[in-house]
Amino acid sequence: MLVVEDEPAVLDMAVESLRELGYGTLAARDAAEALEHLQSGERIDVLFSDVVMPGGVDGIQLAERARRLRPDLRILLTSGYSA
């Protein structure tokens, strides 16, 4: 599972929680880093991404790009912002 989150404490908590549940995880701090993982040969079954991220590419745009790279990728988007 590739976890994408720009807030370091939230990223660490998400990765730790998923690992405790038995999931293999990769971490990315932004969309650019996530796309590097997605373009590699690494096995990634699920993209778990924050929606609101800095850097010009938000979680929805990342999901669209990820789907082009890996059409069968499962995607889960989340946000701590109610707006």
Side-chain angles (χ1 to χ4, degrees), residues 5-81:
E5 169 60 55
D6 62 296
E7 186 65 40
V10 176
L11 178 61
D12 290 345
M13 184 274 307
V15 167
E16 181 179 334
S17 296
L18 290 165
R19 286 184 179 160
E20 287 176 1
L21 291 170
Y23 292 96
T25 59
L26 298 168
R29 295 168 294 203
D30 56 29
E33 191 174 344
L35 288 168
E36 288 178 18
H37 283 292
L38 290 165
Q39 292 168 340
S40 74
E42 296 169 288
R43 178 178 174 185
I44 300 170
D45 298 314
V46 178
L47 170 64
F48 177 33
S49 178
D50 188 8
V51 172
V52 180
M53 292 186 294
V57 178
D58 64 24
I60 294 168
Q61 293 165 323
L62 171 60
E64 291 168 348
R65 292 179 186 184
R67 206 28 85 67
R68 278 185 246 133
L69 292 169
R70 297 186 183 211
D72 296 329
L73 183 66
R74 291 184 174 113
I75 299 170
L76 176 61
L77 298 174
T78 186
S79 180
Y81 294 99

